[in-house]
Amino acid sequence: MEAIAEKLENKLHKWTPETSRKVRALVAEIIEQADDDALDIGRSRSVEQEVMDILDEPSTRGSLAGGPRDVGQDTSGRGGVEIR
């Protein structure tokens, strides 16, 4: 058995059941892509999720939009929503 397979086997028994389930799914996906000779064109879900997490961070949203805005009730008497 290759060292990587042995390491994976040992880790699967040490991790929580949820972590082991996720790792099994990812490894199965990688094996399927390798079988289809599609590793070079496949996009890693973990990288994609990392990018999505970065985009969802509150500090990122505010800085991309020029800073956070406080949207509240209209106090101008003209109707609509006031952006402060």
Side-chain angles (χ1 to χ4, degrees):
M1 180 183 297
E2 292 225 12
I4 188 74
E6 190 173 326
K7 184 175 183 177
L8 177 61
E9 180 67 24
N10 291 331
K11 292 287 189 174
L12 286 171
H13 294 291
K14 292 180 182 178
W15 291 325
T16 65
E18 178 67 13
T19 298
S20 293
R21 184 190 64 75
K22 289 177 181 178
V23 170
R24 281 185 180 94
L26 289 169
V27 170
E29 183 179 335
I30 290 168
I31 290 170
E32 186 176 316
Q33 288 180 359
D35 286 344
D36 294 340
D37 201 24
L39 284 175
D40 59 338
I41 61 171
R43 179 171 41 192
S44 168
R45 285 186 179 178
S46 63
V47 172
E48 184 176 350
Q49 185 61 50
E50 185 178 338
V51 169
M52 296 303 292
D53 291 344
I54 291 169
L55 292 174
D56 286 342
E57 288 178 3
S59 61
T60 302
R61 263 189 262 136
S63 65
L64 290 176
R69 293 195 217 172
D70 183 16
V71 178
Q73 295 293 325
D74 178 22
T75 57
S76 67
R78 294 177 291 211
V81 176
E82 177 186 26
I83 298 177
R84 292 177 255 157

